[in-house]
Amino acid sequence: MAHPAPWWRLRPALLALALILALAPMPTARAGQTPRPAERGPPVRLFTEEELARYSGEEEDQPIYLAVKGVVFDVSSGKEFYGRGAPYNALTGKDSSRGVAKMSLDPADLTHDTTGLTTKELEALDEVFSKVYKAKYPIVGYTARRILNEDGSPNLDFKPEDQPHFDLKDEF
């Protein structure tokens, strides 16, 4: 009479281990990583200047978007600040990094161009970007300018995997 294979005797223990693993909660993040939010919005996308301009808060049925440092945020939940006629509506529908850095609503400052800003202004931009926009509003995409150079070639300094809420399968 043939004896059953040695693993056969381990079958009850293996089944118990499989059941424990199946019922155990999965870790939400590795050590040192920030856990992702449970709910995610729509996949991130790439916006041209013309596309982003459509989301300036002028149309009631459209979301309100603004970009800072090439990251496009949905600020619709702050409609009282960013909607039509609101105090910061001038920032919407475009990358207003310079205006955010200078705390300015001057039309000349409502641009992505941060050349010539002081160290203090650049620090203010980083602080508002992190503590206000990234902390409060969902990221819905990136400006084409952030990902592409003026000649259309890829911006090699852009690392989407370092951006919050970015998932490669969402973009490609």
Side-chain angles (χ1 to χ4, degrees), residues 13-95:
L14 290 172
L15 287 173
L17 179 61
L19 184 62
I20 290 170
L21 290 175
L23 296 176
M26 295 298 290
T28 57
R30 295 182 192 142
Q33 288 184 333
T34 304
R36 285 194 159 181
E39 290 184 34
R40 297 192 55 208
V44 295
R45 60 181 265 215
L46 192 63
F47 289 88
T48 64
E49 288 181 30
E50 295 79 21
E51 290 171 322
L52 188 55
R54 293 184 209 147
Y55 300 96
S56 64
E58 292 302 314
E59 295 184 37
E60 289 295 320
D61 61 336
Q62 290 283 351
I64 306 168
Y65 294 166
L66 73 79
V68 178
K69 294 174 66 172
V71 179
V72 181
F73 297 93
D74 182 343
V75 295
S76 302
S77 64
K79 190 174 186 172
E80 65 276 9
F81 301 108
Y82 299 103
R84 184 180 359 178
Y88 301 117
N89 177 256
L91 298 171
T92 63
K94 63 184 81 62
D95 187 326

Side-chain angles (χ1 to χ4, degrees), residues 112-126:
H112 70 281
D113 188 7
T114 59
T115 56
L117 291 177
T118 67
T119 303
K120 212 173 204 180
E121 289 168 334
L122 291 171
E123 287 171 358
L125 175 62
D126 287 340

Side-chain angles (χ1 to χ4, degrees), residues 135-146:
K136 202 170 182 181
Y137 299 108
I139 294 172
V140 293
Y142 301 94
T143 61
R145 178 172 268 117
R146 180 178 174 98

